[in-house]
Amino acid sequence: MNHLLWRSATAIEGDEPGDAIMEFMTGEDVILDRVLFPHDLRATVAHVRGLQRIGILTREDSERLCSLLDELRGDFFAGRFILDRRFEDGHSAIEAYLHDKSGDLGDRVHTGRSRNDQVAVATRLFMRERVQEIATLSGAIAQACLEQARVHADWPMPGYTHLQRAVPSSIGLWLGSFAEAFCDDVAFACSVLEILDASPLGTAAGYGVNLPLDRAGVATELGFTRLQINPMAVQNARGKFELMSLQAALHPMQDLRRLAWDLSLFATAEFAFVRLPPQYITGSSIMPNKANPDVVELLRARTASIEGALVEVQSILSLPSGYHRDLQLSKAPLVRGLQFARQALAIVPELIRSLAFDPERMRNAITPDMFATDIALERAAAGAPFREAYHQAKNELANLPPRDAEHSLAQRVSPGACGDLQLEQIGARLESMISCIPETSGEGG
Ligand code: ARG
């Protein structure tokens, strides 16, 4: 295969860019295209079949092209075809391969399409797959939190505001809060998936083509329920949809950051409410006594990678309408951001399931003054003006007798509070959210 021909296939003849310029324009991008490549191949098959349906390709030609594309897919996954800097990008690599194997026939594949809609459809399929995974992982984390919340529903622990002891709380309330938060993240990811569920293919460079492309048939073949109709809207969505996908990753990562913070705090000798299992702990190279919560700390810090990716894409999106090569640079933050989120979220359900709690430490941290709010409200319920009851309880703070934490939790009957956690309701919503996550095609591996 004359790869150099394909590296410069789109260059102005006689003025091919030199190596340094080529490396600058495409160096990292073609490597990132490895992630999009299986999706690009799948979309190319759909495009070829669409061309056949409108009579641009014969059945025979279309079948030959599809079987070559299948062969390329096999070669790619088996490592016999390497997508590297010999090619300008994954899109030209497909055309180069087909040309190499079938000459003129291969040259027909690009009829009616542009690399702009090729990258749009490949990225769209990639984002759908990854956001589906994020929804599924968020659901699995919510389930693990809910399980632990159920098992330890009435175990007392201190509730904090400002990191100061506030009122008696429970593991059920603490972990139930994460179950509900991650359930919201499933819902958010599903709403992003609904927006992503529109085929951009068949809009060419952003202005359509003078061919009656079977866009609807191609969309159905690719598993999209509708078309993204306007060709310019397709180009202008590049980067915006990347942001939405990264946001679908950001929300569970932010919840995870909070959970990781809680865990790192509660695992200290000062609190010692929670024991992290040994596989999540590392020692120190100099201090023989150390057992550090490195995994939890890295989970906490990983959120920064997603935030950074969002800012990077946002900064690129200061553009007029239509395609601009700037948009290519949204690929790296998208791919890395979603990869980091997937990697982090995937290890969380097991971590949550393996947490061990120390009920004595938690109970001992509930001091008598923490019942002051209960006392004030009991008096208010008995008829005292609340402000008066508040001041009375405040004056008695130093002398409040110890109270039973379980009793206090059981009395906290405002809906959602410790005496009425409604974990079943949270679980029912979670199940229904999880059942709404669309199936992944598993294309990208
Ligand atoms: N690598 C390019 C990108 O990601 C592919 C599209 C190239 N299109 C073009 N008109 N130069 O944006």
Side-chain angles (χ1 to χ4, degrees):
M1 195 188 297
N2 183 353
H3 304 293
L4 285 176
L5 172 76
W6 289 99
R7 273 190 51 160
S8 58
T10 57
I12 312 297
E13 220 175 301
D15 276 330
E16 287 81 10
D19 279 353
I21 294 178
M22 207 59 198
E23 173 64 23
F24 170 69
M25 283 201 301
T26 71
E28 184 197 31
D29 188 61
V30 69
I31 303 303
L32 288 164
D33 272 353
R34 289 176 182 168
V35 174
L36 300 184
F37 203 60
H39 302 289
D40 202 352
L41 286 169
R42 180 176 169 207
T44 302
V45 168
H47 174 67
V48 163
R49 294 210 181 107
L51 288 180
Q52 183 207 321
R53 285 195 294 277
I54 60 165
I56 299 279
L57 291 173
T58 63
R59 170 176 291 275
E60 204 190 1
D61 284 352
S62 144
E63 276 168 9
R64 170 94 180 113
L65 283 172
C66 289
S67 87
L68 285 173
L69 287 163
D70 198 46
E71 196 180 293
L72 174 52
R73 193 175 186 284
D75 285 352
F76 175 73
F77 280 116
R80 290 186 295 270
F81 178 87
I82 314 271
L83 182 58
D84 59 19
R85 294 183 165 89
R86 292 169 303 160
F87 302 99
E88 185 178 341
D89 52 35
H91 323 303
S92 345
I94 295 178
E95 209 178 325
Y97 184 92
L98 295 176
H99 173 85
D100 202 42
K101 298 278 174 172
S102 66
D104 282 358
L105 176 60
D107 293 348
R108 288 178 192 278
V109 74
H110 212 56
T111 312
R113 79 169 179 179
S114 151
R115 285 183 301 167
N116 293 0
D117 61 345
Q118 224 174 327
V119 68
V121 71
T123 311
R124 190 77 48 96
L125 290 167
F126 166 75
M127 290 189 291
R128 286 189 73 185
E129 195 175 286
R130 287 294 148 92
V131 176
Q132 282 164 1
E133 272 172 5
I134 283 166
T136 305
L137 289 170
S138 301
I141 296 172
Q143 276 169 329
C145 290
L146 197 63
E147 271 166 47
Q148 287 282 34
R150 277 188 185 128
V151 172
H152 306 95
D154 303 324
W155 288 31
M157 71 184 284
Y160 299 89
T161 73
H162 311 262
L163 277 182
Q164 307 291 322
R165 287 174 179 169
V167 292
S169 180
S170 64
I171 293 188
L173 188 79
W174 173 51
L175 288 180
S177 78
F178 284 101
E180 195 165 1
F182 281 103
C183 181
D184 291 337
D185 301 333
V186 179
F188 185 82
C190 287
S191 73
V192 170
L193 283 171
E194 207 179 305
I195 296 173
L196 293 179
D197 187 13
S199 174
L201 190 53
T203 54
Y207 296 93
V209 288
N210 49 346
L211 292 172
L213 295 175
D214 178 17
R215 290 196 62 201
V218 169
T220 306
E221 183 165 344
L222 292 175
F224 290 109
T225 43
R226 65 191 163 87
L227 291 183
Q228 193 173 18
I229 298 169
N230 184 303
M232 281 183 82
V234 168
Q235 291 309 315
N236 295 345
R238 183 132 183 236
K240 180 181 173 184
F241 283 14
E242 278 78 348
L243 283 179
M244 291 184 189
S245 303
L246 286 167
Q247 274 153 358
L250 180 70
H251 293 298
M253 289 301 289
Q254 277 179 327
D255 288 328
L256 178 56
R257 176 162 63 187
R258 180 175 281 113
L259 176 62
W261 236 127
D262 285 0
L263 290 176
S264 73
L265 199 62
F266 293 161
T268 57
E270 282 70 17
F271 283 84
F273 295 168
V274 174
R275 265 189 316 281
L276 299 170
Q279 61 270 34
Y280 298 96
I281 300 282
T282 56
S284 153
S285 61
I286 181 169
M287 298 171 281
N289 56 318
K290 291 305 297 287
N292 300 320
D294 293 33
V295 176
V296 163
E297 288 169 340
L298 285 169
L299 289 174
R300 180 169 65 197
R302 240 332 156 214
T303 314
S305 310
I306 321 301
E307 284 173 355
L310 274 157
V311 170
E312 201 173 333
V313 176
Q314 264 164 13
S315 311
I316 293 163
L317 288 189
S318 179
L319 295 168
S321 285
Y323 177 81
H324 309 273
R325 193 68 180 261
D326 308 51
L327 294 164
Q328 172 176 295
L329 298 193
S330 64
K331 202 184 290 173
L334 175 77
V335 169
R336 293 202 187 111
L338 295 182
Q339 180 62 17
F340 281 141
R342 174 203 216 187
Q343 229 185 12
L345 297 172
I347 65 169
V348 178
E350 195 43 47
L351 166 65
I352 293 167
R353 277 195 200 95
S354 56
L355 294 174
F357 302 99
D358 186 331
E360 278 324 296
R361 291 282 312 187
M362 292 190 286
R363 187 186 300 276
N364 293 341
I366 300 175
T367 43
D369 58 297
M370 293 176 75
F371 297 92
T373 310
D374 282 358
I375 292 169
L377 283 169
E378 280 164 13
R379 290 174 185 170
F386 175 73
R387 194 51 61 207
E388 192 183 309
Y390 169 96
H391 285 298
Q392 264 181 15
K394 190 168 182 151
N395 291 335
E396 295 163 20
L397 274 183
N399 308 313
L400 290 177
R403 279 194 164 204
D404 177 47
E406 268 96 345
H407 179 75
S408 161
L409 297 184
Q411 300 301 303
R412 203 83 50 73
V413 291
S414 60
C418 293
D420 180 24
L421 288 171
Q422 301 197 16
L423 295 178
E424 295 319 312
Q425 283 86 329
I426 293 175
R429 174 167 172 251
L430 178 59
E431 287 318 309
S432 95
M433 289 313 322
I434 289 175
S435 69
C436 291
I437 304 172
E439 292 289 304
T440 53
S441 67
E443 192 58 48

